[in-house]
Amino acid sequence: MAEPRKPGPLVYSIAAHRGFADALVAGLVPRYREPGFGLARLTLLVPSSRAARTLSEAFIRHAGEAGEGGLLMPRMVAVGDLDLDEKLGAALDPLGASDIPPACDPVRRWLTLDRLIAEERSGEGMDPLPGRSRLNLAREMARTMDRLLVEEKTFQDLLSEPVRDSVAGLASHWERSIRLFARVNVRWQIELAERGEVDAAARRNLLFDRAARRWRETPPPHPVVAVGVTSASPALARMLRVVAELPDGAVVLPDLDLAMDDAAWEELGLAGASEEPGGPVFGAGDALSHPQYHLKLLLNRMGVNRAEVQPWHRRGIGAAEPARSRAISSLFLPPQASRAWINLDARERRLDGVRLLASASIEEEAQAIALLVREALEQPEKRIAVVSADRGLARRVAQHLERWNITADDSAGRPLALTPAGRLFGLLAEIAANGADPANLVAAFGHPLVQGWDRETRRNWLVGLRAFDRQLRGPSPAPGMEPLREAAAKAEVAEWWGEAEALIAPLTDWPRDIPLAEALSRLSAAAEAFARTAIWEREDGRALGLMIEELRGQAEALGTAIETADLGGVLRDAMEAVAVRPGYGGHPRVAIYGLLEARMARADLVICGGLNEGSWPQPPGADALLAPAILRALGVPGAEFRIGLAAHDLAGAMGAPEVVLSRALRDAEGPTLPSRFLLRVEALLGDDLDKEHRERAIPALLPHLDRERPAAEPYERPAPDPAPALRDVPIRVTALDRLLGDPYQFYAQAILGLRQLQPLAADPFSDPALRGTLVHDILDKWHKAKEDQPGLALAPFAAAHFASARVHPLFRALWQPRLIDALERFEAWIAEDAAEGRQVIATEISGEMIFDGVKVMGRADRIDRLADGSLAIVDYKTGTVPSKQQVEKGFALQLGLLGLIAEAGGFARAGLPASAATGFHYWSFGKEDGGFGKRQSPMKLGPREGGLLPERFLPHHAEKLCEAIRRFIKGTDPFKARENPDYKGYNEYDQLMRLEEWIVRLTDKESEA
């Protein structure tokens, strides 16, 4: 039974080095254990259900250490952590509490606030917000309401004189924000009163006051102890005061610094205690970011002096040395008190068992942490905890541990949007909102849950999907289903597409605005069609189903409608707010925690990862609706308050027997800044940092973690030499440039038959081939149509073709005016040439010839008959036009080779007999004389021009063709990579030739070239 106590509140503090949970249990068991009942009559008020599990594990460890067969554990009641969205335990929220109004549904409040915001903004004459932005504002407004309600502030307080004075000095947007917030808040409270409900945070306060009043009037017959509760809300502080004064009650705080001198304690600031009646309770100079500030605030609101707090003298199983707590106290001294560091003794600086680890990147940090965990597991019964606010780092650590078959679940969970079920649902929402975009479509069809109920069905499904995926590579097709049907037909998976189209048909052609409940029902039905019941299975599926049912029910009751285009973003934001926590089944001695989950947890080795600014501590998110000055005037702690909580979390973690403080020098976004807490650790350690506290073994071991491979031989410049039978391939007129400039590219393309795989939904503006195909198709069809309609104008014909070609709308909007402008100039040139006797006789005509025993083939964009009977070859260029110097060097030979084919009669199959070719022109879409459209010849036609003379033009091409055939097709020259550095060709085969590995080792002579 509990020992007699002195009058007054009974408040204890457990120092960080003692290990809160184990030390607490070590003291509770002998004090409150009763014969025959064990601890069953003891009630513990704990901050959260996670803390209850931590204490349960500590009781089990204690019983095991004591050699007991069992232990009747106490009743543990959660006070409900708002940050974890937890409810109060049954002892504080009994079924019979009929005098307390019920709490409103949080989803209903969110959707109602969305409507009220829209109405108030409209009434104020403000521009309407997009649906997603308005819902996000409603969510932010709900958080602000809860923040004020926890501090027992009502909308009347927003009209108080201190607040009005604060608003007067603020920018106009703050005035608009607080006015909107106040008006919406008033209307919301009226609606709540009409329904007989209150906000959940207000009901929480009422329940705390009810419990405090009941226990004060009729103390419970059995002990009640509040343990680990650090929330400083006024209602909770009043209840804790009552608990501390109960005959068998007590309050046990984690790591209240009793060694801090009074001057340093006063330097923390007002912390809820005004200096005069009616004065401010928070000062501008309050040390909100100090780890002891929230505990001082709690004590002040409880009405307890720090001198009344007693130290807890029991030690936990894995306690560290007492010197650790003294060093932690010195570490976090406020600014003025930190001057005492100069006179600190070495023993007060000692952080034995604390190591610092710095890694080059976040990936290397995760690997190093995993290796630390693996090393520690070699010691029997040693417990390891990885604590980090960076969930990406936590996921990486868990993945690295899997290489040793160590399952370490992240107890902080993953956002629902990142789970398999949430990912599939989000993809379907994106398809409904934005249409069947190839990237989202392929991702949805290839999702692991789709068609996953049968292995053979899944295999056949993926076969069709891969063929469809390959066909879709390249620029995005036009919106709609028809381009996708055409792609499936080209990929020869029309039957597969029939099944796939049936799956996405319910997601197409939605109205501009749709009731949210109907949208969720449609998406749920589509998800079940894709994955059957697998979408609702496992933890993520159950969380998704619960979220959808809550949202659908309230949206239907309120008649909430949204724009279809906002659907994907709205659901993604909603799923980001839902954390999916794993079930049990991980390694019994390894845990990965977030900062909230790590409170009260204990381990023999604690690894604090991600100690960088922006991660630990995370940047304080300023309230979007209430300025800091307004919060001070209201008597509400500012945003920096959470930095102090993060500091307290670190101080508690550093009380473990072994601690590793880890950070990465770079993350995915670039260089990082070390955490302000880590900088204080380094400053406190001083010269001892590199001597005793720098972790060196793990960084030295990391390079040898994977099997060390022998050093690779230097990769030489590739120069493949295929057999004569493989060399004997046709030469396309567009490929001779490659053969002479970069033979390896010709080898990869013509002999190996390799083609670059384009990305899905590639940028159409970076693809000249798309523009070229469109232009060639338009001009070819126009010339053929003119045979029956001689006066057919090109511009309207081109506009109609753009409309029917179903190109991407953005590409059409940006490129159609420019291309039509150039085409109109082309039309004028054709008419002028026709007046001079030049006639277009063929377009898009294919031809071939045999030259030195090798087939040479190509397609001419256009062939004209000149007045003298000779031919002119025209090449349309939507990209860069080759220079005359490139033609001379043999790097732009297409026009000349087509001329040789024409002279050899290579176009005879198309009805064009052999004729001399004397004219060669590029018609490009470059800008000239204030408009688009330009034509030029690769030959030297004037005394001031460069290039080849007309009489040398075709012989030059014949010589280059003969050289290429002699050396490569019929010869034995190797297909050397980048043989001619002057060749400005393509680079899609650079990775295949491993260019970066050997180009740096070129000889001086080659480098100079």
Side-chain angles (χ1 to χ4, degrees):
M1 294 292 292
E3 299 175 0
R5 53 177 288 173
K6 299 178 181 179
L10 186 59
V11 182
Y12 294 99
S13 171
I14 298 180
H17 73 277
R18 295 183 180 274
F20 185 87
D22 289 321
L24 177 71
V25 169
L28 291 177
V29 171
R31 183 177 178 84
Y32 293 105
R33 190 173 191 172
E34 300 180 52
F37 292 97
L39 297 172
R41 291 180 172 179
L42 170 65
T43 297
L44 296 182
L45 302 182
V46 297
S48 64
S49 57
R50 172 73 230 182
R53 289 196 295 272
T54 300
L55 285 177
S56 297
E57 294 167 359
F59 278 113
I60 294 171
R61 284 195 299 272
H62 179 85
E65 286 288 323
E68 300 177 3
L71 176 68
L72 289 175
M73 292 198 295
R75 179 189 189 187
M76 286 182 262
V77 180
V79 300
D81 195 321
L82 287 178
D83 291 323
L84 294 176
D85 193 27
E86 290 186 335
K87 293 179 172 58
L88 275 69
L92 298 175
D93 189 5
L95 294 176
S98 57
D99 54 327
I100 306 294
C104 67
D105 185 88
V107 177
R108 184 185 185 95
R109 177 175 70 164
W110 174 44
L111 297 179
T112 303
L113 290 178
D114 170 69
R115 172 178 57 83
L116 295 177
I117 290 171
E119 294 173 359
E120 286 299 326
R121 286 181 64 89
S122 176
E124 292 282 329
M126 303 169 70
D127 294 334
L129 287 173
R132 182 183 181 187
S133 299
R134 193 177 60 248
L135 284 165
N136 284 337
L137 179 59
R139 187 180 286 111
E140 186 66 31
M141 191 170 287
R143 290 196 193 102
T144 302
M145 287 180 177
D146 285 341
R147 186 176 183 181
L148 296 184
L149 288 171
V150 166
E151 295 293 324
E152 298 182 333
K153 304 299 177 183
T154 64
F155 62 87
Q156 289 92 346
D157 294 308
L158 294 173
L159 305 177
S160 64
E161 183 176 349
V163 173
R164 291 200 303 269
D165 292 341
S166 299
V167 172
L170 296 175
S172 59
H173 75 276
W174 283 116
E175 295 181 16
R176 291 192 299 270
S177 293
I178 193 172
R179 184 167 59 248
L180 176 66
F181 176 73
R183 292 176 66 88
V184 170
N185 200 351
V186 169
R187 291 187 60 183
W188 167 244
Q189 295 301 327
I190 292 173
E191 291 199 15
L192 277 180
E194 291 174 351
R195 295 203 306 270
E197 297 177 345
V198 293
D199 285 299
R203 188 172 191 274
R204 188 171 179 266
N205 292 341
L206 293 173
L207 288 169
F208 286 152
D209 286 339
R210 181 180 183 277
R213 185 171 58 254
R214 188 176 74 249
W215 287 342
R216 186 185 299 110
E217 295 170 355
T218 308
H222 303 297
V224 177
V225 181
V227 297
V229 180
T230 58
S231 173
S233 65
L236 179 56
R238 291 193 297 270
M239 188 187 74
L240 292 179
R241 170 73 190 211
V242 172
V243 171
E245 291 180 331
L246 290 175
D248 286 328
V251 174
V252 185
L253 300 176
D255 192 26
L256 174 67
D257 191 351
L258 300 178
M260 181 185 292
D261 61 45
D262 292 339
W265 184 256
E266 291 300 320
E267 191 181 340
L268 296 182
L270 299 177
S274 62
E275 295 178 344
E276 56 186 22
V281 294
F282 293 101
D286 278 15
L288 293 171
S289 60
H290 193 277
Q292 294 294 310
Y293 185 87
H294 68 293
L295 293 175
K296 182 176 182 179
L297 176 61
L298 176 59
L299 289 179
N300 286 341
R301 287 179 169 176
M302 289 176 62
V304 175
N305 191 288
R306 186 173 62 125
E308 298 179 82
V309 181
Q310 304 176 37
W312 188 269
H313 292 294
R314 292 281 183 169
R315 291 169 56 89
I317 296 174
E321 293 300 319
R324 180 74 60 77
S325 285
R326 290 194 293 270
I328 294 174
S329 176
S330 301
L331 175 65
F332 289 107
L333 285 174
Q336 295 298 323
S338 295
R339 297 177 179 178
W341 282 12
I342 300 174
N343 301 317
L344 280 181
D345 294 336
R347 60 185 180 84
E348 295 179 316
R349 294 176 178 268
R350 295 186 67 84
L351 284 171
D352 291 342
V354 176
R355 293 170 285 165
L356 276 66
L357 172 64
S359 305
S361 66
I362 188 172
E363 182 63 29
E364 185 177 312
E365 180 185 14
Q367 197 172 41
I369 291 174
L371 192 55
L372 282 166
V373 173
R374 178 66 183 85
E375 179 187 46
L377 284 175
E378 288 297 304
Q379 303 178 37
E381 300 184 6
K382 187 170 186 177
R383 294 172 292 142
I384 305 99
V386 178
V387 184
S388 178
D390 186 344
R391 305 330 307 148
L393 175 63
R395 287 192 291 271
R396 283 182 167 94
V397 172
Q399 289 166 0
H400 280 294
L401 286 172
E402 287 179 359
R403 71 186 302 165
W404 297 296
N405 295 322
I406 299 171
T407 302
D409 293 324
D410 183 0
S411 65
R414 283 191 299 167
L416 177 58
L418 297 182
T419 63
R423 177 67 177 153
L424 177 57
F425 204 80
L427 285 169
L428 299 183
E430 290 291 344
I431 292 173
N434 304 315
D437 172 77
N440 287 332
L441 201 61
V442 170
F445 286 152
H447 192 281
L449 295 180
V450 176
Q451 306 276 340
W453 54 82
D454 179 76
R455 180 175 297 181
E456 187 65 20
T457 302
R458 171 77 176 172
R459 189 188 70 82
N460 294 334
W461 174 263
L462 291 179
V463 169
L465 174 61
R466 287 170 185 141
F468 183 64
D469 176 8
R470 188 175 183 86
Q471 185 61 43
L472 283 180
R473 298 282 169 163
S476 295
M481 303 301 291
E482 188 57 35
L484 298 176
R485 294 191 193 101
E486 294 175 0
K490 291 180 181 178
E492 300 180 353
V493 289
E495 183 178 349
W496 174 89
W497 172 250
E499 183 181 357
E501 186 174 4
L503 290 177
I504 63 170
L507 303 176
T508 59
D509 299 326
W510 283 23
R512 180 179 180 275
D513 297 299
I514 186 171
L516 180 57
E518 180 185 345
L520 291 172
S521 296
R522 290 190 185 188
L523 288 174
S524 298
E528 291 181 0
F530 270 78
R532 293 188 181 176
T533 59
I535 186 68
W536 312 120
E537 297 172 358
R538 304 178 66 85
E539 295 91 349
D540 56 334
R542 291 190 288 273
L544 176 64
L546 182 62
M547 186 202 80
I548 290 173
E549 282 307 308
E550 290 178 349
L551 189 54
R552 178 165 50 192
Q554 295 300 334
E556 186 173 12
L558 296 173
T560 303
I562 63 170
E563 293 183 9
T564 301
D566 285 332
L567 181 62
V570 167
L571 289 180
R572 186 165 57 250
D573 293 339
M575 289 191 291
E576 285 288 343
V578 178
V580 179
R581 292 180 171 84
Y584 289 98
H587 197 287
R589 292 194 285 132
V590 180
I592 300 178
Y593 299 123
L595 299 194
L596 288 174
E597 292 74 22
R599 294 172 186 171
M600 295 181 61
R602 193 61 170 177
D604 301 299
L605 169 63
V606 174
I607 305 169
C608 300
L611 278 167
N612 286 320
E613 286 294 309
S615 174
W616 194 344
Q618 295 184 340
D623 197 298
L625 297 163
L626 302 179
I630 296 175
L631 292 175
R632 282 198 301 271
L634 284 169
V636 176
E640 294 81 4
F641 187 74
R642 292 196 172 277
I643 297 180
L645 295 178
H648 191 261
D649 292 334
L650 180 62
M654 289 180 65
E658 293 182 53
V659 181
V660 176
L661 307 179
S662 172
R663 68 173 292 255
L665 303 181
R666 295 182 63 89
D667 60 13
E669 298 177 357
T672 59
L673 293 175
S675 167
R676 65 192 71 183
F677 310 142
L678 187 62
L679 291 176
R680 291 184 74 90
V681 172
E682 293 178 350
L684 181 70
L685 291 174
D687 295 337
D688 292 339
L689 172 61
D690 290 324
K691 294 179 182 178
E692 303 177 15
H693 296 277
R694 186 72 72 185
E695 173 60 45
R696 304 185 190 280
I698 295 299
L701 188 58
L702 277 180
H704 307 286
L705 181 60
D706 295 305
R707 181 177 299 171
E708 188 173 359
R709 298 179 180 178
E713 295 292 331
Y715 190 76
E716 300 298 330
R717 188 180 194 174
D721 183 11
L726 298 176
R727 289 172 174 266
D728 194 6
V729 293
I731 299 177
R732 295 186 177 274
V733 296
T734 54
L736 184 59
D737 311 344
R738 293 191 181 202
L739 183 53
L740 292 172
D742 191 348
Y744 184 89
Q745 290 197 39
F746 180 90
Y747 165 78
Q749 184 183 56
I751 297 178
L752 297 183
L754 299 177
R755 299 291 185 274
Q756 185 180 24
L757 187 64
Q758 296 291 330
L760 276 171
D763 180 10
F765 310 106
S766 63
D767 186 10
L770 175 62
R771 301 193 295 272
T773 300
L774 275 173
V775 168
H776 288 67
D777 200 24
I778 289 172
L779 289 169
D780 178 47
K781 291 181 178 179
W782 178 66
H783 281 297
K784 289 180 171 59
K786 281 187 65 177
E787 296 176 3
D788 298 325
Q789 308 173 56
L792 181 62
L794 179 53
F797 181 86
H801 184 83
F802 267 105
S804 63
R806 294 191 297 273
V807 296
H808 195 279
L810 185 58
F811 177 86
R812 178 181 171 186
L814 294 178
W815 275 97
Q816 180 174 331
R818 175 175 177 174
L819 294 177
I820 289 182
D821 187 19
L823 290 173
E824 287 180 325
R825 184 171 285 189
F826 287 5
E827 183 180 21
W829 290 339
I830 292 171
E832 292 171 5
D833 292 343
E836 298 176 359
R838 176 172 175 169
Q839 298 296 326
V840 177
I841 60 173
T843 58
E844 298 301 324
I845 179 173
S846 297
E848 61 182 49
M849 68 174 180
I850 302 299
F851 191 97
D852 286 352
V854 176
K855 181 191 289 186
V856 181
M857 54 188 180
R859 176 187 292 269
D861 294 344
R862 196 178 94 207
I863 300 179
D864 297 351
R865 177 77 68 185
L866 299 178
D868 61 1
S870 62
L871 302 180
I873 312 294
V874 177
D875 186 23
Y876 298 126
K877 289 292 184 185
T878 55
T880 304
V881 176
S883 67
K884 297 182 179 183
Q885 289 75 18
Q886 287 179 284
V887 176
E888 283 188 87
K889 293 180 178 180
F891 301 148
L893 302 173
Q894 179 182 358
L895 275 179
L897 292 180
L898 289 171
L900 292 175
I901 293 175
E903 290 193 342
F907 296 108
R909 291 183 181 179
L912 186 64
S915 300
T918 59
F920 302 93
H921 297 93
Y922 294 115
W923 286 30
S924 72
F925 290 78
K927 200 167 185 180
E928 186 177 59
D929 298 332
F932 292 102
K934 186 177 181 180
R935 55 180 175 177
Q936 57 197 96
S937 172
M939 298 186 295
K940 179 180 176 64
L941 301 179
R944 296 186 178 181
E945 295 183 6
L948 295 165
L949 293 171
E951 60 270 19
R952 280 289 305 154
F953 191 74
L954 288 183
H956 171 76
H957 286 73
E959 292 167 5
K960 291 294 183 181
L961 180 58
C962 182
E963 176 190 351
I965 292 173
R966 174 178 52 81
R967 292 180 55 199
F968 299 106
I969 306 302
K970 299 298 184 180
T972 58
D973 281 15
F975 291 85
K976 195 174 187 180
R978 292 292 177 93
E979 183 175 80
N980 197 321
D982 292 336
Y983 174 62
K984 306 297 183 184
Y986 301 93
N987 58 6
E988 63 260 40
Y989 298 104
D990 284 358
Q991 185 177 16
L992 183 66
M993 67 175 69
R994 296 165 66 172
L995 178 68
E996 299 297 331
E997 297 184 42
W998 53 264
I999 197 169
V1000 295
R1001 299 195 308 271
L1002 290 178
T1003 64
D1004 293 340
K1005 183 176 181 180
E1006 290 174 313
S1007 298
E1008 290 172 3

